[in-house]
Amino acid sequence: MGAVIKKELKNYFLSPIGYVVIGIFLIAFSAFFFLTTINSSSVDLKYLFYYTAMYGLMFMAPLITMWSFAGERKNG
């Protein structure tokens, strides 16, 4: 199992799509943090981490999984 994880991470970070996905996630997280602190006028990280995990993982996990399945299908 370690070999599969190592292979997938290597393939993910050697392609530009990995850095694009990470960049989009960081921009979205930063914007969400900025909007949360502006609306509540205080930094309450409890809700920030909860909503980021809930919505971020809801979109990021399927993207990474679909990309992995497409790569496996392409390689046979």
Side-chain angles (χ1 to χ4, degrees), residues 27-43:
I27 289 170
F29 184 77
S30 300
F32 192 66
F33 177 75
F34 180 73
L35 293 173
T36 302
T37 55
I38 295 295
N39 286 339
S40 65
S41 70
S42 69
V43 179

Side-chain angles (χ1 to χ4, degrees), residues 7-71:
K7 177 187 162 261
E8 288 297 323
L9 286 176
K10 186 175 84 171
N11 287 338
Y12 188 69
F13 287 113
L14 288 178
S15 69
I17 191 72
Y19 293 103
V20 169
V21 170
I22 290 171
I24 290 171
F25 178 75
L26 288 175
I27 289 170
F29 184 77
S30 300
F32 192 66
F33 177 75
F34 180 73
L35 293 173
T36 302
T37 55
I38 295 295
N39 286 339
S40 65
S41 70
S42 69
V43 179
D44 188 12
L45 296 179
K46 177 176 63 172
Y47 296 113
L48 177 70
F49 288 133
Y50 174 73
Y51 287 119
T52 301
M54 186 171 71
Y55 292 119
L57 291 176
M58 186 168 52
F59 291 112
M60 296 300 282
L63 285 175
I64 294 170
T65 305
M66 287 187 290
W67 183 72
S68 177
F69 285 159

